């Protein structure tokens, strides 16, 4: 009798277990709605299955900033790829490419000399105000460029070399500098626009200058006014590139004032691409203003250029200045000639 009872208890237990398994659905079925789509509120749902089905993870949250309720979205992944891969490629190719071209060009062409030698007579090329604006903008630009490139290239290039603590401290100061120097830089771009616009509108002379290779590519010295076509390009790169960089930069500095996530991502793309191309263009400008051309740097340093330099590179401007009688003797430049 006892044996029969034990046997019946076992069979009853087994039946009960079978019933429970047959009415409770498996876990995977729990994650799906009746139409077989994923049920995002199911407790056992996995993040990657949600992502692959819905392509975004968002929900409800109680903090005031409702944007924080979206944790992942396709545009965010596209932007991250741009930031971490595409921009690095564009920047790397543009900057290393221009440096390689400048070195090759220097090796082939060398410094463009003042062919007639120094005359020892000088023309005023830039006023003290123009030089102050130029150097303020240039100093800000160089610091903005270095600190900005740190945002794009710092993690892969500097972090392994500096270590986490030093890189964090440097990056924090770099970010302060990047934010605050944007204001004098923007002022400099506005002043450059206003003070040199009159000499930077395109003319017929520019077409001829470009056709002749500008004197730096070939050996000819086509006529040019105060600024030649190459300098006018630099001017417009500074004005338009600087304008685009400033506008997109302020959108990033004051996030979500009149912008949404898509606009913020667009602002970052415009800012990053314009910045790396701007840096590449300015490397070309710095080359011509220093080792690329004899006699150019002093015009922006002490404000005067040798009369023969002016005749060679800016003949139309030199003629006008000569007609005004604005050529003076320069003991300083004469001494430099003797020393060379
Ligand atoms: C930091 C190194 C730099 C050096 C050594 C340098 C040098 C010069 C020189 C020598 C000139 C006068 C050229 C002439 O007399 O015809 C000049 C002009 C000019 N610079 Fe710079 N510059 C530098 C950086 C910058 C930067 C960062 C900007 C703007 C962001 C800038 C914008 C300009 C503009 C718009 C002109 C007038 C157009 C031209 O000559 O190309 N410069 N620079």
């Amino acid at each position: 009798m006892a044996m029969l009872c034990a046997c019946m208890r076992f069979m009853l237990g087994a039946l009960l277990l079978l019933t429970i398994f047959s009415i409770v659905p498996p876990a995977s079925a729990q994650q799906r709605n009746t139409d077989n789509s994923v049920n995002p509120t199911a407790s056992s749902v996995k993040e990657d299955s949600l992502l692959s089905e819905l392509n975004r993870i968002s929900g409800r949250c109680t903090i005031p900033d409702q944007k924080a309720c979206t944790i992942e979205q396709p545009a965010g992944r596209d932007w991250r790829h741009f930031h971490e891969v595409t921009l690095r490629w564009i920047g790397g190719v543009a900057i290393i490419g221009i440096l390689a071209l400048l070195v090759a060009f220097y090796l082939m062409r060398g410094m463009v000399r003042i062919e007639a030698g120094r005359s020892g007579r000088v023309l005023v090329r830039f006023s003290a105000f123009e030089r102050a604006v130029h150097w303020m903008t240039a100093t800000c630009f160089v610091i903005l460029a270095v600190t900005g490139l740190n945002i794009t290239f710092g993690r892969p290039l500097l972090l392994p070399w500096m270590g986490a603590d030093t890189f964090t401290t440097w990056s924090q100061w770099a970010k302060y500098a990047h934010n605050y120097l944007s204001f004098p830089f923007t002022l400099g771009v506005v002043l450059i626009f206003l003070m040199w616009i009159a000499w930077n509108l395109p003319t017929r002379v520019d077409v001829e200058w470009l056709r002749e290779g500008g004197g730096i590519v070939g050996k000819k010295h086509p006529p040019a006014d105060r600024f030649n076509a190459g300098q006018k390009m630099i001017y417009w790169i500074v004005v338009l590139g600087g304008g685009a960089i400033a506008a997109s930069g302020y959108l990033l500095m004051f996030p979500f004032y009149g912008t949404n996530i898509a606009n913020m991502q667009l602002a970052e793309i415009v800012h990053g691409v314009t910045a790396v191309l701007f840096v590449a263009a300015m490397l070309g400008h710095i080359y011509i203003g220093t080792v690329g051309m004899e006699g150019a740097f002093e015009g922006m340093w002490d404000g005067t250029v040798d009369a023969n330099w002016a005749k060679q590179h800016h003949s139309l401007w030199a003629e006008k200045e000569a007609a005004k009688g604005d050529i003076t003797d320069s003991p300083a430049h004469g001494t430099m000639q003797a020393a060379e």
Side-chain angles (χ1 to χ4, degrees):
M1 189 59 194
M3 181 85 166
L4 187 70
C5 269
C7 196
M8 287 206 38
R9 265 208 307 276
F10 173 77
M11 284 183 65
L12 216 75
L15 205 71
L16 200 72
L17 264 177
L18 214 76
T19 317
I20 289 171
F21 279 127
S22 65
I23 59 170
V24 175
S28 62
Q30 262 189 341
Q31 296 170 16
R32 299 199 165 261
N33 294 319
T34 43
D35 62 353
N36 206 32
S37 61
V38 169
N39 172 11
T41 52
S43 58
S44 55
V45 78
K46 292 229 174 59
E47 190 183 307
D48 50 343
S49 66
L50 251 182
L51 258 182
S52 60
E53 288 266 341
L54 302 174
N55 227 356
R56 62 189 290 132
I57 299 178
S58 60
R60 280 195 302 272
C61 56
T62 51
I63 56 173
D65 185 0
Q66 289 297 302
K67 292 184 296 299
C69 310
T70 299
I71 295 169
E72 283 212 55
Q73 52 154 339
R77 286 188 289 282
D78 294 346
W79 174 80
R80 188 176 56 200
H81 186 267
F82 164 80
H83 185 75
E84 288 178 5
V85 181
T86 317
L87 182 60
R88 284 179 188 162
W89 271 103
I90 298 174
V93 168
I95 293 170
I96 295 173
I98 194 90
L99 285 174
L101 276 177
L102 290 174
V103 170
F105 187 73
Y106 183 75
L107 293 176
M108 280 181 335
R109 177 74 160 88
M111 182 186 249
V112 178
R113 295 283 174 190
I114 303 174
E115 282 166 12
R118 286 178 187 272
S119 66
R121 311 200 73 206
V122 292
L123 294 166
V124 174
R125 181 129 176 91
F126 295 111
S127 69
F129 179 73
E130 286 175 312
R131 282 177 282 140
V133 169
H134 174 270
W135 288 121
M136 176 194 74
T137 317
T139 309
C140 292
F141 180 88
V142 170
I143 300 172
L144 287 167
V146 171
T147 54
L149 290 173
N150 182 57
I151 299 171
T152 304
F153 294 103
R155 270 177 83 86
L157 293 187
L158 299 184
L159 176 62
W161 170 68
M162 283 184 171
D165 288 347
T166 317
F167 180 70
T168 306
T169 312
W170 144 247
S171 295
Q172 193 176 2
W173 284 106
K175 185 67 188 119
Y176 289 143
H178 200 80
N179 281 5
Y180 288 111
L181 289 180
S182 67
F183 298 106
F185 173 74
T186 308
L187 176 69
V189 169
V190 172
L191 291 175
I192 282 178
F193 168 67
L194 295 175
M195 72 189 185
W196 286 334
I197 175 77
W199 289 279
N200 280 289
L201 299 173
T203 64
R204 268 171 202 280
V205 178
D206 301 323
V207 180
E208 199 48 40
W209 189 91
L210 285 171
R211 203 177 289 150
E212 301 269 3
I216 188 135
V217 178
K219 290 272 176 190
K220 290 182 185 171
H221 297 294
D225 209 325
R226 190 179 183 202
F227 292 129
N228 60 41
Q231 290 176 297
K232 288 181 183 180
M233 284 183 212
I234 290 291
Y235 171 87
W236 286 109
I237 288 173
V238 170
V239 169
L240 300 177
I245 274 204
S248 53
Y250 292 126
L251 288 179
L252 296 173
M253 202 189 290
F254 302 103
F256 300 112
Y257 281 89
T259 48
N260 54 24
I261 288 195
N263 299 147
M264 290 289 296
Q265 288 171 343
L266 184 64
E268 203 266 354
I269 291 170
V270 169
H271 196 75
V273 173
T274 315
V276 290
L277 298 181
F278 200 174
V279 169
M282 283 301 122
L283 287 173
H285 170 74
I286 293 168
Y287 168 82
I288 298 176
T290 54
V291 292
M293 181 181 282
E294 181 186 9
F297 186 79
E298 56 217 42
M300 200 43 95
W301 191 248
D302 67 17
T304 59
V305 286
D306 190 274
N308 283 350
W309 179 91
K311 266 186 226 156
Q312 184 172 324
H313 298 292
H314 299 273
S315 55
L316 302 175
W317 174 73
E319 279 164 24
K320 285 183 206 162
E321 295 298 299
K324 283 195 272 169
D326 283 348
I327 305 185
T328 51
D329 286 335
S330 162
H333 289 172
T335 317
M336 271 174 74
Q337 182 188 14
E340 274 169 11

